[in-house]
Amino acid sequence: MATEPQGSQWKTLDKDLNRISQVELAATYVARPLVAPGIALAFIVVAGAVAAVFFGQQPSSFVVIAAAVFGAYMAVNIGANDVANNMGPAVGANALTMGGAIVIAALCESAGALLAGGDVVSTISKGIIDPASVADTRIFIWAMMAALVSSALWVNLATWVGAPVSTTHSVVGGVMGAGIAAAGLGAVNWSSMSMIAASWVISPVLGGAVAAMFLAFIKARILYQDDKIAASRTWVPVLVGLMAGVFAAYLALKGLKKIISIDMPVALIIGLVTGLVVYAISAPLIRRASEGMENRNRSVKTLFGLPLVLSAALLSFAHGANDVANAVGPLAAIVHATEFGGFEDKVSIPTWVMIIGAFGISFGLFLFGPKLIRMVGSQITKLNPMRAYCVALSAAITVIVASWLGLPVSSTHIAVGGVFGVGFYREWHMERRLRRIGAKTGEVKRIAKEERRRRKLVRRSHFMTIVAAWVITVPAAALLSGIVFWVLNAFVN
């Protein structure tokens, strides 16, 4: 009986091993996109297990466990979407690497949520629906569950398509939709809803205008001066002191509610003192750092790097302190209603609920945040440290002004509006310079169009996608919430 040569057997073995290695490579390639969802799912399961530990002995524990699961899901989505607004400009300006931004944001978001997150949260989400219309505890629980599920689904969808949306508006839409499904249109406080609708316009316009104003100031006082370094020594410490003062007032007003309650006049005094101290410290540091620098715009940009990183960290801290309630507010309301058999206008947030929110935001940022960070930081318009600094400063100033005027604004809309404002100012400034050099009108339009494409001033496709997502956030979340409420109610009954 003939036997196969030894060399042929080795060749066959090599071919088989090569096929196996190719299969393993293909399996790794296919499985890679599933790693992040798998880790997120594991965290969500752990959140449900934590709720089971605290409420496993109670008859209605299933409701709390389900709410904890969806609360964790919402927190993950907030981390994936909302945090990009704080870190995107710093990453787009190359002041931070993506990894550094994620680490700083995760630490600051968690610290803000756990150290300065509010003790209480409004169960009816700022008076969107009339409490009397959902007086039945069971109806109230299902309404809050529907709001939680629908807002999480909407933010997840927005993240998937690459649109930074307001998670606050998503929760408001969810509460409104559940209220309508439970008690009809009369349950909604339409005056509050009209104020929120107005904020769709107010937030981005204010943010964009303030950011453009500061960019114009920097160009006029520093970049267009004959001696840019001397101008930087004069004005950069002023701008750094202004940033420090604004953020001190911002954190005192919005981020430290759990530690101490501070009104507007006291917050402004804190900001003024902090700004003066930081100016006195930064002036000699800026002078020393600028020694030997070339008289170029690139040299000036480096002086804004550290202030930009600090501003991004402070924004993340304040965001964690304020927006964690979007994830855990409905969950806290469900826990309270389940535990005490009723509900109140405001309820305390249990520590374990706050931990779910804080860790969920961090997990969402680590696993899914880079997509939206790139969108905000580099795909809307090209940012450098000076432009990104204007966006960060605009976000803090606009929130303080809006709080003083009593206007309901979205931090998401303000930050992204600041990016748009910087981009559109660059377009306007470029076309103005073209007209100044005497080009004909048709030539101006042609060159401006080419410059918009080449320099990535404002990408119109991203602009339209984001604006459309903003406009439909509340109605879309409301529609989803109504559907979820009807399904839950039908399932239970």
Side-chain angles (χ1 to χ4, degrees):
M1 186 176 187
T3 59
E4 191 174 357
Q6 188 74 20
S8 176
Q9 291 179 353
W10 283 114
K11 288 180 181 179
T12 302
L13 180 60
D14 287 342
K15 288 180 180 179
D16 291 340
L17 290 174
N18 185 56
R19 291 192 188 100
I20 292 172
S21 66
Q22 292 297 324
V23 170
E24 289 178 344
L25 181 63
T28 303
Y29 180 80
V30 171
R32 190 177 301 163
L34 302 177
V35 172
I39 296 173
L41 180 60
F43 168 73
I44 292 170
V45 171
V46 169
V50 169
V53 169
F54 283 92
F55 283 85
Q57 305 302 318
Q58 298 189 22
S60 54
S61 61
F62 174 76
V63 173
V64 176
I65 294 171
V69 166
F70 289 118
Y73 174 49
M74 178 61 175
V76 169
N77 283 296
I78 289 176
N81 193 294
D82 235 15
V83 180
N85 310 314
N86 305 323
M87 285 296 164
V91 173
N94 295 321
L96 278 173
T97 63
M98 180 66 74
I102 289 176
V103 170
I104 292 173
L107 292 174
C108 292
E109 289 277 342
S110 299
L114 296 175
L115 299 178
D119 278 324
V120 296
V121 62
S122 172
T123 59
I124 309 297
S125 191
K126 300 177 183 177
I128 299 305
I129 60 175
D130 180 12
S133 64
V134 287
D136 183 270
T137 301
R138 183 182 62 84
I139 295 297
F140 173 78
I141 289 175
W142 293 135
M144 290 297 105
M145 188 79 79
L148 197 57
V149 174
S150 62
S151 55
L153 288 172
W154 173 250
V155 175
N156 195 345
L157 177 62
T159 304
W160 181 67
V161 301
V165 297
S166 170
T167 52
T168 302
H169 287 178
S170 301
V171 172
V172 166
V175 172
M176 183 185 77
I180 293 174
L185 293 172
V188 178
N189 185 339
W190 292 107
S191 61
S192 294
M193 286 305 305
S194 64
M195 290 291 288
I196 291 170
S199 76
W200 296 341
V201 178
I202 294 169
S203 298
V205 169
L206 273 178
V210 174
M213 179 186 69
F214 276 104
L215 182 59
F217 179 86
I218 290 172
K219 284 180 177 291
R221 296 295 180 180
I222 300 177
L223 298 183
Y224 293 161
Q225 297 295 314
D226 293 334
D227 191 340
K228 297 177 176 58
I229 303 304
S232 297
R233 290 171 179 167
T234 300
W235 288 110
V236 172
V238 173
L239 292 170
V240 172
L242 177 62
M243 181 201 74
V246 167
F247 273 100
Y250 178 72
L251 289 173
L253 193 67
K254 303 291 288 183
L256 302 177
K257 295 177 181 177
K258 186 174 182 179
I259 300 172
I260 185 173
S261 179
I262 298 174
D263 56 15
M264 178 65 75
V266 175
L268 293 178
I269 292 172
I270 292 173
L272 177 62
V273 173
T274 304
L276 292 173
V277 170
V278 170
Y279 170 79
I281 295 172
S282 63
L285 295 178
I286 294 295
R287 180 173 295 276
R288 191 177 304 119
S290 63
E291 290 178 358
M293 281 187 171
E294 296 182 33
N295 189 30
R296 302 172 59 191
N297 288 353
R298 181 176 297 179
S299 301
V300 177
K301 293 174 186 177
T302 61
L303 300 177
F304 284 88
L306 182 58
L308 177 58
V309 172
L310 294 176
S311 67
L314 291 171
L315 275 177
S316 291
F317 181 89
H319 180 271
N322 285 279
D323 281 38
V324 68
N326 291 332
V328 301
L331 170 58
I334 292 170
V335 170
H336 181 88
T338 304
E339 190 172 4
F340 299 101
F343 64 92
E344 300 173 8
D345 184 50
K346 290 183 179 293
V347 298
S348 298
I349 302 179
T351 302
W352 67 271
V353 171
M354 188 67 81
I355 290 174
I356 287 177
F359 278 85
I361 289 175
S362 297
F363 271 107
L365 173 65
F366 270 111
L367 299 174
F368 308 106
K371 180 178 181 179
L372 266 294
I373 288 176
R374 292 189 190 97
M375 162 68 77
V376 175
S378 59
Q379 296 179 13
I380 295 174
T381 191
K382 187 176 181 180
L383 295 175
N384 60 28
M386 289 173 292
R387 297 167 194 156
Y389 165 87
C390 293
V391 173
L393 186 58
S394 166
I397 289 177
T398 306
V399 168
I400 290 175
V401 172
S403 299
W404 178 50
L405 297 175
L407 299 173
V409 293
S410 163
S411 59
T412 300
H413 290 190
I414 291 170
V416 179
V419 175
F420 283 134
V422 164
F424 283 123
Y425 173 79
R426 292 175 64 210
E427 287 191 2
W428 173 83
H429 187 70
M430 176 198 65
E431 294 185 17
R432 184 166 171 252
R433 282 196 303 161
L434 288 175
R435 289 192 180 93
R436 186 175 294 172
I437 63 176
K440 295 179 180 179
T441 303
E443 189 70 6
V444 167
K445 291 181 179 179
R446 186 188 66 79
I447 297 175
K449 184 177 180 180
E450 175 63 24
E451 284 291 286
R452 280 198 295 267
R453 183 193 65 78
R454 185 178 66 84
R455 297 173 62 190
K456 300 177 182 177
L457 296 180
V458 177
R459 290 178 173 171
R460 296 305 193 267
S461 59
H462 293 322
F463 175 75
M464 297 306 298
T465 299
I466 292 170
V467 170
W470 285 354
V471 170
I472 65 172
T473 287
V474 170
L479 178 61
L480 280 172
S481 183
I483 294 172
V484 172
F485 178 83
W486 284 325
V487 170
L488 288 174
N489 213 26
F491 177 77
V492 174
N493 292 334

